[in-house]
Amino acid sequence: MGAPAEALPQGLSLFDLSARRALVTGASQGIGLALARGLAAAGAAVVLDARDAARLDAAAEGLAAAGHEVATLPFDVTDHAAARTAVDGFEAGVGPIDILINNAGQQHRAPLETFPDDAFQRLLQVNVASVFNVAQACARHMIARGRGHIVNICSVQSALARPGIAPYTATKGAVANLTKGMATDWARHGLNCNGLAPGYFETPLNAALVADPAFSDWLARRTPAGRWGRVEELVGAAVFLSSDAASFVNGTVIYVDGGITAAL
């Protein structure tokens, strides 16, 4: 079971991630890298996974240069056996993974009636299967220790849809519900499993939209905050969900979206 309330630290120390280690998938750029930096600033040692080896090494070098403890663990998150082998090997050879940020994701834009089947299958593997693969690999060790934090990166599209991205919307809805399922199965073992759902942020994944003045104008009018989000604005929620401050938070999705899901 997780630590009882009376055993928890108090005040800002609730958010201290010192002596914790966090695995972040899709961590070479964008949201994943921003979250890795944020967790490291909160005291965590970070372990980075990404597909692009050069970018992954550059991200790790930048974190190390800033004085953070960092390691890389490149593996294919869509490969169930590879995820288990990588996590098991790291746990045995280096130490426990206390926090998992399941961030790896992919986008493909096309009208639904002509959406390519191969693109749909890739989205299912990268956006949904990877969350299951890595979470299960980490949870097996977390359950044995009686504690752990899993944060699955959802999306504003977990709740809303837009033209041209119906399969992406389906995958992010699946991640939100898979998160609830993780909490239902694993909370009794001391795990905290939650989702973090970004709205529209300036990231490489959204580069085409950021460069489109018409879309940016629409977004500013549609979002109560009136602007794109900055990836650093996701860090507070991620640190919270990864910390003792969230000891009784389970199966929830926190939307960090400038109010877009709250307004018509």
Side-chain angles (χ1 to χ4, degrees):
M1 298 296 291
E6 63 270 21
L8 293 173
Q10 299 299 310
L12 291 178
S13 60
L14 281 167
F15 300 90
D16 183 10
L17 301 182
S18 299
R20 308 279 178 89
R21 183 179 287 109
L23 169 61
V24 184
T25 68
S28 63
Q29 61 181 343
I31 288 173
L33 180 54
L35 296 184
R37 286 186 182 127
L39 296 181
V46 291
V47 184
L48 311 183
D49 165 78
R51 290 174 295 176
D52 188 315
R55 283 180 177 169
L56 183 65
D57 289 341
E61 289 169 8
L63 284 163
H68 301 304
E69 183 179 344
V70 58
T72 60
L73 185 65
F75 63 94
D76 182 357
V77 294
T78 68
D79 184 327
H80 185 269
R84 181 165 177 173
T85 297
V87 169
D88 286 354
F90 190 92
E91 288 258 351
V94 180
I97 294 169
D98 308 291
I99 301 160
L100 167 63
I101 308 291
N102 253 325
N103 170 72
Q106 193 175 83
Q107 176 65 286
H108 188 98
R109 295 180 173 88
L112 184 56
E113 64 273 16
T114 58
F115 203 94
D117 177 65
D118 60 340
F120 180 66
Q121 299 302 326
R122 276 198 309 276
L123 288 180
L124 290 175
Q125 290 302 306
V126 176
N127 294 358
V128 183
S130 72
V131 173
F132 165 77
N133 292 342
V134 187
Q136 187 188 62
C138 290
R140 292 172 57 252
H141 298 279
M142 292 174 175
I143 288 169
R145 290 189 288 268
R147 64 175 294 146
H149 291 260
I150 295 174
V151 181
N152 297 322
I153 302 304
C154 302
S155 169
V156 68
Q157 266 81 45
S158 295
L160 303 172
R162 287 195 67 253
I165 57 168
Y168 178 85
T169 300
T171 64
K172 289 302 183 177
V175 172
N177 270 344
L178 182 54
T179 300
K180 295 177 183 179
M182 289 178 186
T184 302
D185 277 9
W186 295 339
R188 65 175 63 92
H189 299 294
L191 276 62
N192 295 88
C193 307
N194 294 288
L196 174 57
Y200 284 90
F201 282 74
E202 294 190 48
T203 67
L205 198 66
N206 285 328
L209 298 180
V210 174
D212 182 346
F215 185 88
S216 289
D217 180 65
W218 170 85
L219 181 66
R221 289 183 283 105
R222 176 65 179 81
T223 305
R227 62 176 174 82
W228 286 89
R230 299 183 296 273
V231 290
E232 294 78 13
E233 294 176 297
L234 291 164
V235 169
V239 170
F240 165 64
L241 292 175
S242 301
S243 73
D244 286 336
S247 62
F248 204 56
V249 180
N250 238 317
T252 194
V253 176
I254 295 179
Y255 286 85
V256 182
D257 61 3
I260 197 169
T261 54
L264 290 173

